[in-house]
Short mmCIF file of all heavy atoms in Angstrom, two decimals:
data_model
loop_
_atom_site.label_atom_id
_atom_site.label_comp_id
_atom_site.label_asym_id
_atom_site.label_seq_id
_atom_site.Cartn_x
_atom_site.Cartn_y
_atom_site.Cartn_z
N ALA A 4 -49.58 -70.42 -59.48
CA ALA A 4 -50.64 -69.44 -59.69
C ALA A 4 -50.14 -68.06 -59.27
O ALA A 4 -49.51 -67.92 -58.21
CB ALA A 4 -51.90 -69.81 -58.93
N VAL A 5 -50.41 -67.07 -60.12
CA VAL A 5 -49.99 -65.70 -59.79
C VAL A 5 -51.20 -64.82 -59.72
O VAL A 5 -52.08 -64.83 -60.61
CB VAL A 5 -49.03 -65.16 -60.87
CG1 VAL A 5 -48.62 -63.74 -60.59
CG2 VAL A 5 -47.79 -66.09 -60.94
N TYR A 6 -51.29 -64.01 -58.67
CA TYR A 6 -52.43 -63.09 -58.49
C TYR A 6 -52.39 -61.99 -59.54
O TYR A 6 -51.32 -61.61 -60.02
CB TYR A 6 -52.43 -62.53 -57.08
CG TYR A 6 -52.99 -63.47 -56.07
CD1 TYR A 6 -52.15 -64.18 -55.20
CD2 TYR A 6 -54.37 -63.63 -55.89
CE1 TYR A 6 -52.65 -65.08 -54.24
CE2 TYR A 6 -54.86 -64.56 -54.95
CZ TYR A 6 -54.00 -65.24 -54.12
OH TYR A 6 -54.51 -66.11 -53.20
N ASP A 7 -53.57 -61.42 -59.84
CA ASP A 7 -53.69 -60.49 -60.94
C ASP A 7 -52.92 -59.16 -60.75
O ASP A 7 -52.49 -58.56 -61.63
CB ASP A 7 -55.18 -60.14 -61.16
CG ASP A 7 -55.96 -61.30 -61.73
OD1 ASP A 7 -55.34 -62.22 -62.33
OD2 ASP A 7 -57.23 -61.27 -61.61
N ASN A 8 -52.76 -58.82 -59.44
CA ASN A 8 -52.05 -57.52 -59.13
C ASN A 8 -50.56 -57.71 -58.92
O ASN A 8 -49.90 -56.82 -58.41
CB ASN A 8 -52.67 -56.87 -57.90
CG ASN A 8 -52.56 -57.71 -56.68
OD1 ASN A 8 -52.38 -58.92 -56.71
ND2 ASN A 8 -52.58 -57.05 -55.50
N VAL A 9 -50.06 -58.85 -59.33
CA VAL A 9 -48.64 -59.21 -59.10
C VAL A 9 -47.97 -59.50 -60.47
O VAL A 9 -48.54 -60.17 -61.33
CB VAL A 9 -48.52 -60.43 -58.16
CG1 VAL A 9 -47.06 -60.93 -58.16
CG2 VAL A 9 -49.00 -60.09 -56.78
N TYR A 10 -46.75 -59.04 -60.62
CA TYR A 10 -45.86 -59.47 -61.72
C TYR A 10 -44.73 -60.25 -61.03
O TYR A 10 -43.88 -59.65 -60.36
CB TYR A 10 -45.33 -58.27 -62.53
CG TYR A 10 -44.32 -58.65 -63.58
CD1 TYR A 10 -44.66 -59.45 -64.64
CD2 TYR A 10 -43.03 -58.16 -63.54
CE1 TYR A 10 -43.78 -59.75 -65.64
CE2 TYR A 10 -42.12 -58.42 -64.53
CZ TYR A 10 -42.46 -59.25 -65.60
OH TYR A 10 -41.61 -59.57 -66.57
N SER A 11 -44.77 -61.55 -61.17
CA SER A 11 -43.82 -62.39 -60.46
C SER A 11 -42.45 -62.37 -61.11
O SER A 11 -42.35 -62.36 -62.34
CB SER A 11 -44.32 -63.82 -60.41
OG SER A 11 -43.37 -64.68 -59.79
N ALA A 12 -41.43 -62.38 -60.29
CA ALA A 12 -40.07 -62.51 -60.87
C ALA A 12 -39.75 -63.93 -61.26
O ALA A 12 -38.67 -64.17 -61.91
CB ALA A 12 -39.04 -62.00 -59.82
N PHE A 13 -40.59 -64.90 -60.88
CA PHE A 13 -40.40 -66.31 -61.18
C PHE A 13 -38.97 -66.83 -60.91
O PHE A 13 -38.35 -67.44 -61.77
CB PHE A 13 -40.87 -66.62 -62.60
CG PHE A 13 -42.26 -67.13 -62.68
CD1 PHE A 13 -43.28 -66.32 -63.20
CD2 PHE A 13 -42.62 -68.35 -62.16
CE1 PHE A 13 -44.58 -66.77 -63.28
CE2 PHE A 13 -43.93 -68.79 -62.19
CZ PHE A 13 -44.91 -68.04 -62.74
N HIS A 14 -38.56 -66.58 -59.67
CA HIS A 14 -37.30 -67.20 -59.28
C HIS A 14 -37.40 -68.73 -59.31
O HIS A 14 -36.46 -69.39 -59.65
CB HIS A 14 -36.91 -66.71 -57.86
CG HIS A 14 -35.85 -67.52 -57.19
ND1 HIS A 14 -34.68 -67.78 -57.80
CD2 HIS A 14 -35.85 -68.13 -56.00
CE1 HIS A 14 -33.93 -68.54 -57.01
NE2 HIS A 14 -34.62 -68.77 -55.91
N LEU A 15 -38.56 -69.24 -58.92
CA LEU A 15 -38.77 -70.70 -58.87
C LEU A 15 -40.07 -71.04 -59.61
O LEU A 15 -40.98 -70.26 -59.65
CB LEU A 15 -38.91 -71.20 -57.43
CG LEU A 15 -37.75 -70.95 -56.46
CD1 LEU A 15 -38.17 -71.35 -55.05
CD2 LEU A 15 -36.51 -71.69 -56.88
N TYR A 16 -40.07 -72.26 -60.16
CA TYR A 16 -41.27 -72.84 -60.79
C TYR A 16 -41.55 -74.10 -60.02
O TYR A 16 -40.86 -75.12 -60.17
CB TYR A 16 -41.06 -73.10 -62.29
CG TYR A 16 -42.28 -73.53 -62.98
CD1 TYR A 16 -43.15 -72.59 -63.62
CD2 TYR A 16 -42.70 -74.89 -63.03
CE1 TYR A 16 -44.33 -73.01 -64.25
CE2 TYR A 16 -43.83 -75.28 -63.68
CZ TYR A 16 -44.67 -74.34 -64.27
OH TYR A 16 -45.80 -74.72 -64.97
N VAL A 17 -42.66 -74.07 -59.18
CA VAL A 17 -42.98 -75.17 -58.32
C VAL A 17 -44.31 -75.78 -58.72
O VAL A 17 -45.31 -75.08 -58.83
CB VAL A 17 -43.05 -74.68 -56.81
CG1 VAL A 17 -43.34 -75.87 -55.92
CG2 VAL A 17 -41.76 -74.01 -56.43
N ILE A 18 -44.28 -77.06 -58.90
CA ILE A 18 -45.51 -77.82 -59.14
C ILE A 18 -45.85 -78.63 -57.87
O ILE A 18 -44.99 -78.84 -56.99
CB ILE A 18 -45.40 -78.81 -60.32
CG1 ILE A 18 -44.29 -79.85 -60.06
CG2 ILE A 18 -45.15 -78.04 -61.60
CD1 ILE A 18 -44.31 -80.99 -61.14
N GLN A 19 -47.13 -79.06 -57.76
CA GLN A 19 -47.54 -79.92 -56.67
C GLN A 19 -48.18 -81.18 -57.21
O GLN A 19 -48.95 -81.12 -58.16
CB GLN A 19 -48.51 -79.22 -55.75
CG GLN A 19 -47.92 -78.14 -54.89
CD GLN A 19 -48.92 -77.68 -53.77
OE1 GLN A 19 -48.94 -78.32 -52.72
NE2 GLN A 19 -49.59 -76.62 -54.08
N VAL A 20 -47.79 -82.30 -56.62
CA VAL A 20 -48.33 -83.62 -57.05
C VAL A 20 -48.88 -84.28 -55.80
O VAL A 20 -48.67 -83.85 -54.68
CB VAL A 20 -47.23 -84.49 -57.72
CG1 VAL A 20 -46.62 -83.71 -58.86
CG2 VAL A 20 -46.16 -84.84 -56.70
N GLU A 21 -49.58 -85.37 -55.98
CA GLU A 21 -50.10 -86.10 -54.85
C GLU A 21 -48.99 -86.62 -53.96
O GLU A 21 -47.94 -87.05 -54.47
CB GLU A 21 -50.96 -87.28 -55.30
CG GLU A 21 -52.28 -86.84 -55.94
CD GLU A 21 -53.11 -85.92 -55.01
OE1 GLU A 21 -53.28 -86.23 -53.85
OE2 GLU A 21 -53.62 -84.90 -55.57
N THR A 22 -49.19 -86.52 -52.65
CA THR A 22 -48.13 -86.77 -51.68
C THR A 22 -47.53 -88.17 -51.89
O THR A 22 -46.32 -88.36 -51.84
CB THR A 22 -48.68 -86.69 -50.27
OG1 THR A 22 -49.21 -85.37 -50.06
CG2 THR A 22 -47.59 -86.92 -49.23
N GLU A 23 -48.39 -89.18 -52.08
CA GLU A 23 -47.96 -90.57 -52.19
C GLU A 23 -47.12 -90.77 -53.46
O GLU A 23 -46.40 -91.78 -53.63
CB GLU A 23 -49.10 -91.52 -52.15
CG GLU A 23 -50.16 -91.36 -53.26
CD GLU A 23 -51.23 -90.34 -52.91
OE1 GLU A 23 -51.06 -89.61 -51.95
OE2 GLU A 23 -52.24 -90.38 -53.63
N GLN A 24 -47.23 -89.87 -54.46
CA GLN A 24 -46.47 -89.99 -55.69
C GLN A 24 -45.16 -89.16 -55.69
O GLN A 24 -44.27 -89.44 -56.51
CB GLN A 24 -47.29 -89.47 -56.86
CG GLN A 24 -48.59 -90.17 -57.12
CD GLN A 24 -49.41 -89.55 -58.24
OE1 GLN A 24 -49.09 -88.39 -58.63
NE2 GLN A 24 -50.40 -90.26 -58.74
N ARG A 25 -45.06 -88.25 -54.76
CA ARG A 25 -44.00 -87.23 -54.85
C ARG A 25 -42.59 -87.83 -54.87
O ARG A 25 -41.76 -87.57 -55.75
CB ARG A 25 -44.11 -86.22 -53.73
CG ARG A 25 -43.44 -84.84 -54.05
CD ARG A 25 -42.01 -84.80 -53.58
NE ARG A 25 -41.93 -84.98 -52.14
CZ ARG A 25 -41.98 -83.99 -51.28
NH1 ARG A 25 -42.19 -82.78 -51.70
NH2 ARG A 25 -41.90 -84.24 -49.94
N SER A 26 -42.26 -88.70 -53.96
CA SER A 26 -40.92 -89.20 -53.85
C SER A 26 -40.45 -89.99 -55.09
O SER A 26 -39.37 -89.74 -55.66
CB SER A 26 -40.77 -90.08 -52.63
OG SER A 26 -40.85 -89.36 -51.42
N ALA A 27 -41.31 -90.87 -55.55
CA ALA A 27 -41.00 -91.69 -56.72
C ALA A 27 -40.86 -90.82 -57.96
O ALA A 27 -39.91 -90.98 -58.75
CB ALA A 27 -42.04 -92.76 -56.95
N ARG A 28 -41.79 -89.88 -58.12
CA ARG A 28 -41.71 -88.97 -59.29
C ARG A 28 -40.51 -88.04 -59.24
O ARG A 28 -39.90 -87.74 -60.26
CB ARG A 28 -43.02 -88.17 -59.39
CG ARG A 28 -44.28 -89.04 -59.53
CD ARG A 28 -44.38 -89.69 -60.89
NE ARG A 28 -45.52 -90.63 -61.01
CZ ARG A 28 -46.74 -90.28 -61.40
NH1 ARG A 28 -47.02 -89.04 -61.71
NH2 ARG A 28 -47.68 -91.20 -61.46
N PHE A 29 -40.20 -87.58 -58.03
CA PHE A 29 -39.03 -86.71 -57.85
C PHE A 29 -37.77 -87.43 -58.30
O PHE A 29 -36.97 -86.89 -59.09
CB PHE A 29 -38.94 -86.35 -56.36
CG PHE A 29 -37.91 -85.26 -56.00
CD1 PHE A 29 -38.24 -83.98 -55.85
CD2 PHE A 29 -36.56 -85.61 -55.87
CE1 PHE A 29 -37.33 -83.01 -55.54
CE2 PHE A 29 -35.60 -84.70 -55.54
CZ PHE A 29 -36.02 -83.37 -55.37
N GLU A 30 -37.58 -88.70 -57.87
CA GLU A 30 -36.39 -89.46 -58.22
C GLU A 30 -36.37 -89.79 -59.72
O GLU A 30 -35.30 -89.79 -60.35
CB GLU A 30 -36.29 -90.68 -57.37
CG GLU A 30 -36.13 -90.45 -55.88
CD GLU A 30 -34.95 -89.64 -55.52
OE1 GLU A 30 -33.91 -89.68 -56.28
OE2 GLU A 30 -35.04 -88.82 -54.56
N LYS A 31 -37.54 -90.05 -60.32
CA LYS A 31 -37.61 -90.30 -61.72
C LYS A 31 -37.22 -89.11 -62.57
O LYS A 31 -36.47 -89.23 -63.54
CB LYS A 31 -39.00 -90.76 -62.08
CG LYS A 31 -39.16 -91.25 -63.56
CD LYS A 31 -38.30 -92.50 -63.80
CE LYS A 31 -38.49 -93.06 -65.20
NZ LYS A 31 -37.69 -94.21 -65.49
N LEU A 32 -37.68 -87.92 -62.13
CA LEU A 32 -37.30 -86.68 -62.84
C LEU A 32 -35.79 -86.51 -62.81
O LEU A 32 -35.15 -86.11 -63.82
CB LEU A 32 -37.98 -85.48 -62.21
CG LEU A 32 -39.52 -85.38 -62.42
CD1 LEU A 32 -40.14 -84.39 -61.48
CD2 LEU A 32 -39.87 -85.05 -63.86
N LYS A 33 -35.15 -86.76 -61.64
CA LYS A 33 -33.71 -86.65 -61.55
C LYS A 33 -33.05 -87.69 -62.44
O LYS A 33 -32.06 -87.35 -63.10
CB LYS A 33 -33.26 -86.86 -60.11
CG LYS A 33 -33.57 -85.72 -59.15
CD LYS A 33 -33.16 -85.96 -57.74
CE LYS A 33 -31.64 -86.06 -57.64
NZ LYS A 33 -31.18 -86.27 -56.22
N GLU A 34 -33.52 -88.91 -62.44
CA GLU A 34 -32.97 -89.95 -63.26
C GLU A 34 -32.97 -89.59 -64.74
O GLU A 34 -32.03 -89.95 -65.47
CB GLU A 34 -33.80 -91.24 -63.04
CG GLU A 34 -33.30 -92.46 -63.82
CD GLU A 34 -34.24 -93.64 -63.61
OE1 GLU A 34 -34.68 -93.86 -62.44
OE2 GLU A 34 -34.49 -94.35 -64.60
N LEU A 35 -33.99 -88.83 -65.15
CA LEU A 35 -34.10 -88.45 -66.55
C LEU A 35 -33.47 -87.11 -66.88
O LEU A 35 -33.63 -86.54 -67.97
CB LEU A 35 -35.57 -88.42 -66.96
CG LEU A 35 -36.31 -89.78 -66.91
CD1 LEU A 35 -37.79 -89.61 -67.18
CD2 LEU A 35 -35.67 -90.75 -67.93
N GLY A 36 -32.73 -86.55 -65.91
CA GLY A 36 -31.85 -85.40 -66.26
C GLY A 36 -32.32 -84.06 -65.78
O GLY A 36 -31.78 -83.00 -66.20
N LEU A 37 -33.36 -83.98 -64.94
CA LEU A 37 -33.83 -82.70 -64.40
C LEU A 37 -33.32 -82.52 -62.99
O LEU A 37 -33.59 -83.42 -62.11
CB LEU A 37 -35.30 -82.55 -64.39
CG LEU A 37 -36.01 -82.71 -65.78
CD1 LEU A 37 -37.47 -82.32 -65.69
CD2 LEU A 37 -35.29 -81.85 -66.90
N GLY A 38 -32.60 -81.47 -62.66
CA GLY A 38 -32.10 -81.21 -61.34
C GLY A 38 -33.20 -80.60 -60.46
O GLY A 38 -33.07 -79.47 -59.97
N VAL A 39 -34.21 -81.38 -60.18
CA VAL A 39 -35.35 -80.91 -59.36
C VAL A 39 -34.92 -80.70 -57.93
O VAL A 39 -33.86 -81.24 -57.44
CB VAL A 39 -36.48 -81.93 -59.44
CG1 VAL A 39 -37.14 -81.85 -60.82
CG2 VAL A 39 -36.08 -83.31 -59.06
N ASN A 40 -35.72 -79.93 -57.18
CA ASN A 40 -35.35 -79.60 -55.83
C ASN A 40 -36.61 -79.41 -55.00
O ASN A 40 -37.72 -79.55 -55.57
CB ASN A 40 -34.52 -78.32 -55.78
CG ASN A 40 -33.53 -78.30 -54.59
OD1 ASN A 40 -33.83 -78.82 -53.53
ND2 ASN A 40 -32.34 -77.68 -54.81
N LEU A 41 -36.48 -79.16 -53.73
CA LEU A 41 -37.64 -78.94 -52.85
C LEU A 41 -37.48 -77.58 -52.14
O LEU A 41 -36.47 -77.38 -51.44
CB LEU A 41 -37.79 -80.02 -51.83
CG LEU A 41 -38.87 -79.77 -50.72
CD1 LEU A 41 -40.24 -79.55 -51.33
CD2 LEU A 41 -38.87 -80.94 -49.75
N HIS A 42 -38.41 -76.69 -52.33
CA HIS A 42 -38.44 -75.40 -51.63
C HIS A 42 -39.79 -75.23 -51.01
O HIS A 42 -40.72 -74.91 -51.73
CB HIS A 42 -38.20 -74.25 -52.61
CG HIS A 42 -36.87 -74.29 -53.29
ND1 HIS A 42 -36.62 -74.96 -54.45
CD2 HIS A 42 -35.66 -73.70 -52.98
CE1 HIS A 42 -35.38 -74.81 -54.85
NE2 HIS A 42 -34.80 -74.07 -53.92
N TYR A 43 -39.97 -75.44 -49.73
CA TYR A 43 -38.95 -75.76 -48.75
C TYR A 43 -39.49 -76.80 -47.80
O TYR A 43 -40.75 -76.99 -47.76
CB TYR A 43 -38.63 -74.49 -47.89
CG TYR A 43 -37.86 -73.44 -48.64
CD1 TYR A 43 -38.53 -72.41 -49.21
CD2 TYR A 43 -36.49 -73.58 -48.80
CE1 TYR A 43 -37.83 -71.44 -49.89
CE2 TYR A 43 -35.77 -72.57 -49.47
CZ TYR A 43 -36.49 -71.50 -50.04
OH TYR A 43 -35.82 -70.55 -50.74
N ILE A 44 -38.71 -77.42 -47.04
CA ILE A 44 -39.20 -78.14 -45.83
C ILE A 44 -39.54 -77.08 -44.78
O ILE A 44 -38.75 -76.19 -44.49
CB ILE A 44 -38.05 -79.07 -45.29
CG1 ILE A 44 -37.69 -80.15 -46.33
CG2 ILE A 44 -38.53 -79.76 -43.98
CD1 ILE A 44 -36.48 -80.96 -45.96
#
């Protein structure tokens, strides 16, 4: 989400998913060819 008074440079595109789903979905995305990452711990 981007605030109305901001033009984002969109260095990153981050989605959020339910916590209990995150690890399995993260690994599945990688398995299917997307170099997903975590920004940040």
Side-chain angles (χ1 to χ4, degrees):
V5 178
Y6 282 101
D7 291 339
N8 63 337
V9 171
Y10 177 61
S11 177
F13 264 110
H14 165 53
L15 301 173
Y16 186 91
V17 182
I18 62 172
Q19 288 192 83
V20 304
E21 291 304 316
T22 303
E23 61 272 14
Q24 300 176 345
R25 202 269 299 273
S26 292
R28 300 289 175 90
F29 189 99
E30 297 304 327
K31 187 64 176 177
L32 291 166
K33 286 180 66 177
E34 181 184 319
L35 294 175
L37 301 190
V39 291
N40 210 326
L41 172 58
H42 298 88
Y43 291 97
I44 297 171

